[in-house]
Every structure is written in structure tokens, then in C-alpha cells.
Amino acid sequence: QFEPVESGGDLVQPGGSLRLSCAVSGDSLDVIGWFRQAPWTEREGVSCISRSTGRTRTLDSVLGRLTISRDSAKELVYLDMNNLRPEETAVYYCAGGDVVTLLDRWYDSWGQGTQVNVSS
């Protein structure tokens, strides 16, 4: 059974940078997505990538600041976050699916999440 594992969450100052990692197995689902959920908000799709084709889909509000990438040899998917904003404080999750979409209902396998705090 595929179970993604997130890591890299930390406290970072506004404007700072952070790299999140998602460990995936070679036989996992093709599409890996990053999602986030802040207190009292709905879960939001941030970015996703097809491991087989490299196709991506990214939330408009994070374009140019948050970038998804893959390292097939290490079986990792990254979310590189730059110029972070306080309102992006959230638990960040990675998940596996088979469609390049930011709609969470299309994802079946979810990690436990990693906390990102953007604060002075």
C-alpha cells in the first residue's frame, strides 16, 4: 500500500524559503500533489506533478514562488517555497493520485502532513 511521507516543515520568517520533501515508492501512483490546510480553512491544492510525464499544475497564487519538482533516483518529490507569506502557514500534505489536478477528491493516498509556520 502506497503511503507518502512528508518532511521539511519548519518555522520560517516572512520572505524566507523552505523545501518540503515527499518520499514516494517506485510503484506508487503516478501523480503526486501538494496540498495545504490552515486552521478554519478548506484544504487547498498547491501543485502537482506527473512522475511519468513531468506535467504540472500549480495554484495561480503561488506561481513563481512555490515550485514542484521530482527526483526519480531518490524517489522524492519536492516543493520549493520562496518568499513565504504569513498566510501560508499551514499543514502541508502530499498525496498520490492518477490525474493531474488540484482537486483533492481525485487523490487516494495521503501522508500525515508537515507543519509550516511563517512568522517573525
Side-chain angles (χ1 to χ4, degrees):
Q1 185 175 153
F2 172 59
E3 182 181 342
V5 179
E6 309 96 332
S7 63
D10 205 350
L11 172 66
V12 61
Q13 292 184 318
S17 299
L18 199 62
R19 166 173 272 194
L20 304 183
S21 299
C22 178
V24 299
S25 64
D27 59 351
S28 66
L29 295 171
D30 179 59
V31 178
I32 303 298
W34 283 101
F35 298 79
R36 63 190 180 190
Q37 187 166 26
W40 317 113
T41 69
E42 298 291 326
R43 186 163 57 195
E44 178 181 49
V46 177
S47 190
C48 63
I49 187 168
S50 167
R51 298 195 296 156
S52 62
T53 69
R55 182 181 179 184
T56 62
R57 193 181 303 275
T58 301
L59 184 68
D60 285 346
S61 64
V62 308
L63 281 172
R65 297 187 301 108
L66 277 62
T67 303
I68 195 168
S69 63
R70 56 180 173 167
D71 186 331
S72 297
K74 297 181 179 180
E75 296 187 310
L76 294 173
V77 174
Y78 301 111
L79 185 67
D80 289 302
M81 304 187 291
N82 300 300
N83 195 23
L84 283 163
R85 304 166 179 174
E87 60 265 32
E88 292 175 311
T89 293
V91 177
Y92 284 71
Y93 301 89
C94 62
D98 55 18
V99 178
V100 182
T101 178
L102 297 181
L103 298 174
D104 58 5
R105 71 186 186 95
W106 293 106
Y107 290 80
D108 298 317
S109 302
W110 292 81
Q112 295 301 304
T114 186
Q115 179 71 49
V116 174
N117 290 316
V118 186
S119 176
S120 297

